[in-house]
Amino acid sequence: MKKSLLGLSLLLSVTFVAEAQKKKIDKKFNEKAAISELTYLASDELKGRDPGTPEMALAYDFIAKQLESAGAKPVPGGDGFFQNIPFIMSSPPTKGEIKLRDSVYSQGKNMLVINGGAISGKYELVDVGFGMAADLEGKDLKGKILLTNVGAPDRMSPADLFSLGAEKAKLAEAAGAIGVIERFNIPSIPWPLISNYLNRTQMVVDNGESSKMPYIWIEDVKNTFKNQLTAGKVEASLSIEGKKNTPVEGKNVLAWIEGTDKTLKNEFVMLSAHYDHVGIGTPDASGDSIYNGTRDNAVGTVAVMNAAKFFAKNPPKRSILLALWTAEEKGLLGSGYFASNPLIPLNQIIYNLNIDGAGYNDTSIITVIGLGRTTADDLVSEAVSDFGLKAIADPAPEQGLYDRSDNVNFAKEGIPAPTFSLGFTAFDDEINKYYHKAGDHVDSMDLDYVTLYWKSFILAAQNIANNKEQPMWVAGDKYQEAGKKLYGDK
């Protein structure tokens, strides 16, 4: 009888606390101010928040001022509220050509110069498998060009293919090589799709000397190129001309709020969203060419800013790291830069609740990409339920959404990292009506639903930041081993 009464008492206590937390968020959340922030970020004045444009400065200055006025603090090691990123706008060459025996590879046809400068001459090729550190050990690579496969055995997502290129270039440069040619040999991804996407000016991170080294993709699904590497010394003639690499300013916006628990405050719950979008594009039927990006991702940016406002005045037990990423639309570049150059040790970041999305088609739900993969799932679902909504898992796993947003840069480091998206049940016409379209305006949104979404995000973050148990990956998840490596066996 005593045990039953004790259990009932604990249940009532938990229910009371949860209701009190919800009421506090309801009371403190300034819906009018949040909608005003959303309206500004998605306004024509910011011209679609395209990285590298002057309007991006308006966006990041506005976000930084909101975080500062909320009472959040700059992260030590940053430039005030910014993490500066050295970007390059890398244009296709006016001429790009490789000749190997009887084969000719040309820019835009069966060859793409992704990065680097001009080069002309005949150079020895060395096949180094996937071009990772273990593949280069014990080889004389000085003055040679490395031939690799794209990706790596355990890293073949689209995001991996691009991010690994920078890693391989660094390794090649350190080994004395003068270039990297990657064989694009993935039959499931059509080469014309790749060529159409990459044969244009690209934003990349400036990695110093390794970024000056030619980095090239060639189409080689049928192994035509590789099969010409017979025994002995093999040379190829390269001619790349007219490659322009222009430095561009990039800034992540970062802030933090100290937790209240003397032990748990050394752990961080990172709340993140990317603030960039795709800028100006093809005009729609009305002549509108500004892709305002309300859903993707002004909504997420406003969620993080308003989380800052709430937690600065109501700090939880763990510390809160607020992160607004740049250049997500250019290949997850801002979050990737932080993951490689963290201002807070990654093993102190115990969870990342990220926001990204294409839109919504169901205002009764919130779609959590990665629900079912971490031990914090119930804390997220309960927060959503407390605001009268339902959390559902990814309804379109074939889209590979988990590995296409900023969260993946932290998941692969071991940090549990779901993405908290507006509610969708499929990638249907309602989603595509606004996704990367000029019509993605604030007045096309159900703002009552968006307000519940913002509040649910804050409550989910609070639940995790106050819970005594550190979230972990569920057993068998593909990122579980990375988590064990990052945090140790807990």
Side-chain angles (χ1 to χ4, degrees):
M1 183 67 176
K2 287 181 180 179
K3 287 184 179 180
S4 297
L5 290 173
L6 178 60
L8 179 61
S9 176
L10 287 172
L11 177 62
L12 291 173
S13 175
V14 170
T15 303
F16 177 80
V17 170
E19 182 62 26
Q21 290 174 336
K22 174 189 175 295
K23 285 182 178 178
K24 182 177 281 190
I25 293 170
D26 267 330
K27 182 179 180 180
K28 300 290 184 181
F29 192 91
N30 188 331
E31 180 179 355
K32 185 177 180 181
I35 292 172
S36 175
E37 294 157 5
L38 181 69
T39 301
Y40 176 69
L41 286 170
S43 67
D44 284 357
E45 181 181 353
L46 269 62
K47 295 184 180 178
R49 307 186 306 281
D50 189 7
T53 64
E55 289 74 26
M56 275 297 273
L58 297 176
Y60 63 63
D61 281 339
F62 175 75
I63 296 165
K65 287 174 183 175
Q66 294 297 313
L67 296 178
E68 183 176 24
S69 65
K73 297 179 289 188
V75 176
D79 177 15
F81 285 91
F82 303 121
Q83 181 184 38
N84 298 322
I85 307 174
F87 285 135
I88 299 172
M89 294 301 289
S90 182
S91 65
T94 55
K95 177 186 178 182
E97 186 176 85
I98 298 175
K99 293 181 180 179
L100 177 63
R101 302 193 189 280
D102 296 328
S103 299
V104 178
Y105 295 80
S106 302
Q107 175 70 23
K109 182 181 178 182
N110 49 7
M111 161 187 167
L112 293 164
V113 181
I114 308 295
N115 202 5
I119 191 170
S120 181
K122 186 171 281 191
Y123 303 92
E124 184 178 351
L125 298 181
V126 181
D127 188 349
V128 290
F130 282 98
M132 304 306 292
D135 298 316
L136 308 189
E137 285 181 8
K139 293 183 174 68
D140 176 15
L141 304 173
K142 191 171 182 178
K144 300 172 184 177
I145 291 179
L146 309 189
L147 180 66
T148 78
N149 304 310
V150 292
D154 57 344
R155 296 174 64 182
M156 295 299 286
S157 73
D160 283 328
L161 300 186
F162 293 114
S163 63
L164 279 168
E167 291 181 36
K168 294 176 185 182
K170 287 181 183 178
L171 291 168
E173 191 267 333
I178 59 170
V180 176
I181 297 174
E182 287 208 292
R183 299 171 52 243
F184 188 86
N185 51 2
I186 304 176
S188 60
I189 305 178
W191 174 260
L193 179 69
I194 294 293
S195 181
N196 183 59
Y197 180 73
L198 292 180
N199 192 26
R200 55 184 177 179
T201 299
Q202 300 287 329
M203 178 175 277
V204 296
V205 175
D206 184 353
N207 288 311
E209 289 302 311
S210 66
S211 288
K212 299 175 184 177
M213 184 170 57
Y215 170 57
I216 301 162
W217 278 12
I218 57 167
E219 180 188 17
D220 201 32
V221 173
K222 295 181 180 179
N223 295 321
T224 304
F225 194 96
K226 184 174 182 179
N227 288 341
Q228 296 183 79
L229 298 185
T230 55
K233 184 177 179 179
V234 177
E235 293 184 326
S237 296
L238 274 71
S239 180
I240 297 172
E241 302 173 4
K243 191 86 169 62
K244 291 184 179 179
N245 297 305
T246 307
V248 174
E249 172 190 74
K251 291 182 185 288
N252 288 329
V253 190
L254 303 168
W256 75 293
I257 295 162
E258 188 173 17
T260 59
D261 186 273
K262 64 180 181 180
T263 300
L264 293 180
K265 71 179 182 180
N266 295 314
E267 300 177 351
F268 291 79
V269 174
M270 182 166 70
L271 308 180
S272 65
H274 72 90
Y275 70 94
D276 65 304
H277 193 53
V278 297
I280 295 174
T282 304
D284 63 12
S286 71
D288 186 2
S289 62
I290 297 176
Y291 290 31
N292 301 85
T294 304
R295 293 160 173 79
D296 180 19
N297 192 25
V299 163
T301 304
V302 171
V304 175
M305 293 192 303
N306 280 271
K309 292 179 184 180
F310 180 79
F311 289 125
K313 293 180 173 58
N314 306 275
K317 294 177 180 179
R318 287 188 175 89
S319 295
I320 299 292
L321 175 60
L322 306 145
L324 288 310
W325 310 123
T326 187
E328 186 270 353
E329 300 287 0
K330 304 296 186 184
L332 318 182
L333 298 183
S335 58
Y337 188 83
F338 182 90
S340 299
N341 304 271
L343 300 185
I344 289 172
L346 294 182
N347 63 1
Q348 288 183 245
I349 302 173
I350 56 95
Y351 194 82
N352 173 208
L353 190 60
N354 182 57
I355 290 185
D356 196 9
Y360 62 92
N361 54 24
D362 189 333
T363 57
S364 71
I365 63 173
I366 287 173
T367 302
V368 183
I369 309 299
L371 192 70
R373 299 180 64 173
T374 83
T375 58
D377 286 345
D378 288 347
L379 300 175
V380 175
S381 296
E382 287 165 8
V384 171
S385 178
D386 284 345
F387 281 100
L389 303 172
K390 180 182 178 182
I392 70 163
D394 183 0
E398 74 282 355
Q399 295 279 340
L401 297 176
Y402 191 93
D403 292 331
R404 286 169 51 187
S405 190
D406 291 306
N407 59 292
V408 74
N409 281 326
F410 301 99
K412 65 188 180 185
E413 297 293 338
I415 299 170
T419 290
F420 194 86
S421 297
L422 293 165
F424 70 96
T425 54
F427 259 73
D428 60 9
D429 290 343
E430 183 62 24
I431 299 296
N432 289 318
K433 181 179 178 181
Y434 299 107
Y435 179 53
H436 288 190
K437 298 288 196 309
D440 188 11
H441 301 139
V442 173
D443 60 11
S444 68
M445 298 283 283
D446 181 337
L447 295 175
D448 289 335
Y449 168 64
V450 170
T451 299
L452 291 176
Y453 172 80
W454 285 330
K455 291 177 179 179
S456 299
F457 176 76
I458 294 171
L459 184 54
Q462 186 177 51
N463 286 351
I464 294 160
N466 281 332
N467 193 273
K468 64 180 181 179
E469 300 295 334
Q470 178 180 335
M472 301 300 289
W473 297 99
V474 299
D477 192 274
K478 73 174 184 176
Y479 294 116
Q480 184 188 20
E481 288 305 313
K484 290 180 178 180
K485 183 178 178 181
L486 182 66
Y487 304 119
D489 275 316
K490 291 188 177 182

